[in-house]
Amino acid sequence: MKEIKNEDLKKIYNEVEKCMKCEALCNSRLNVVFGRGDEEPDIVFVGEAPGADEDKQGLPFVGRGGKLLDKWIEKMNINKEKYYIMNALKCRPPENRDPLPEEKANCRDFFVRQLQILNPKIICALGRHGFGNLIDFDLKTPFGKARNKVHYYSNNGKDIPVIATYHPAYILRNQKEEDKVISDLEFMLGELEKVRNK
Ligand code: URA
């Protein structure tokens, strides 16, 4: 776990560390996975839940999917921007299964408060679970339908644009779709510029 500088974020982290709401998750976790990156970010990436590498290191997106995300961030020059990475869930679901609705509900208060403090200019949702934690979205709907549109997440009464793209794990299995992620990130950066020029 990297040091958290913001005192309000640290307070939430301390609560997360003690959280025992999801029996299966807190009994098997090695670490809670809170977030990483700039604590006053312009962009927040929202993924699903930690995997095995993240659980070991206590940091989001540090495994194979994370390497791919880092590659996109570099390719699109997002590394020059202020960005932060977090997940819908703070603990690893056993065997990397999908998060259960009650697990997402249990973790939601942490998620909402964390985003309130981060107060980004734009959010990039990675995959359906991250997206579904921000925007009311039927998980049975083909996820591609969420792309190429600006959605809005109400953060303390302020509407923050949300752009959807594929989860890195999906692209690892479907490499021919990678160009779509690059075009979604371009779209996201264009929308970020619009917010900046408002
Ligand atoms: N997948 C996610 O959604 N988040 C992580 O942190 C790692 C893999």
Side-chain angles (χ1 to χ4, degrees), residues 67-101:
K67 300 273 174 301
L68 185 57
L69 177 60
D70 288 345
K71 187 187 100 177
W72 296 335
I73 285 174
E74 198 134 314
K75 183 179 167 89
M76 302 305 294
N77 273 328
I78 296 172
N79 50 335
K80 308 271 175 1
E81 304 280 348
K82 296 197 289 175
Y83 68 93
Y84 188 89
I85 305 174
M86 59 188 277
N87 286 309
L89 243 62
K90 306 284 182 232
C91 298
R92 180 190 180 205
E95 319 293 328
N96 297 342
R97 64 156 165 72
D98 279 356
L100 302 175

Side-chain angles (χ1 to χ4, degrees), residues 33 46-51 54 59-63 65-66 85-87 126 167 169:
V33 175
V46 173
E48 177 180 326
E54 291 75 22
L59 289 168
F61 283 101
V62 290
I85 305 174
M86 59 188 277
N87 286 309
L126 302 166
H167 191 284

Side-chain angles (χ1 to χ4, degrees), residues 7-196:
E7 287 302 322
D8 294 322
L9 284 179
K10 214 182 274 177
K11 202 167 146 238
I12 304 174
Y13 175 80
N14 291 336
E15 289 175 44
V16 170
E17 243 196 336
K18 289 190 206 93
C19 180
M20 302 292 277
K21 281 188 201 156
C22 308
E23 211 186 331
L25 273 52
C26 56
N27 285 338
S28 61
R29 75 179 174 219
L30 297 174
N31 285 293
V32 298
V33 175
F34 191 67
R36 67 172 164 101
D38 197 299
E39 292 175 5
E40 289 180 9
D42 287 345
I43 307 166
V44 168
F45 291 94
V46 173
E48 177 180 326
D53 295 307
E54 291 75 22
D55 183 46
K56 269 188 216 130
Q57 295 188 42
L59 289 168
F61 283 101
V62 290
R64 271 183 77 220
K67 300 273 174 301
L68 185 57
L69 177 60
D70 288 345
K71 187 187 100 177
W72 296 335
I73 285 174
E74 198 134 314
K75 183 179 167 89
M76 302 305 294
N77 273 328
I78 296 172
N79 50 335
K80 308 271 175 1
E81 304 280 348
K82 296 197 289 175
Y83 68 93
Y84 188 89
I85 305 174
M86 59 188 277
N87 286 309
L89 243 62
K90 306 284 182 232
C91 298
R92 180 190 180 205
E95 319 293 328
N96 297 342
R97 64 156 165 72
D98 279 356
L100 302 175
E102 58 268 32
E103 291 166 347
K104 285 191 269 190
N106 285 342
C107 225
R108 183 152 184 86
D109 178 61
F110 298 135
F111 179 86
V112 168
R113 286 162 58 209
Q114 190 174 7
L115 270 179
Q116 278 174 1
I117 295 164
L118 293 169
N119 190 27
K121 293 189 168 63
I122 200 159
I123 300 173
C124 181
L126 302 166
R128 64 180 60 242
H129 288 281
F131 184 69
N133 224 43
L134 293 155
I135 305 294
D136 188 17
F137 178 72
D138 181 352
L139 291 179
K140 286 185 226 103
T141 309
F143 178 62
K145 291 205 186 309
R147 296 178 53 241
N148 300 314
K149 278 182 213 143
V150 183
H151 309 264
Y152 290 93
Y153 171 77
S154 175
N155 199 24
N156 239 351
K158 178 177 150 199
D159 281 346
I160 300 188
V162 175
I163 306 299
T165 195
Y166 292 109
H167 191 284
Y170 172 78
I171 301 298
L172 286 171
R173 296 189 305 270
N174 299 275
Q175 282 181 6
K176 62 179 192 321
E177 306 277 53
E178 191 172 10
D179 288 353
K180 293 186 182 165
V181 174
I182 299 304
S183 107
D184 294 340
L185 294 177
E186 261 164 22
F187 178 48
M188 190 266 295
L189 289 171
E191 292 303 314
L192 173 62
E193 235 9 74
K194 285 189 200 164
V195 178
R196 280 183 176 145

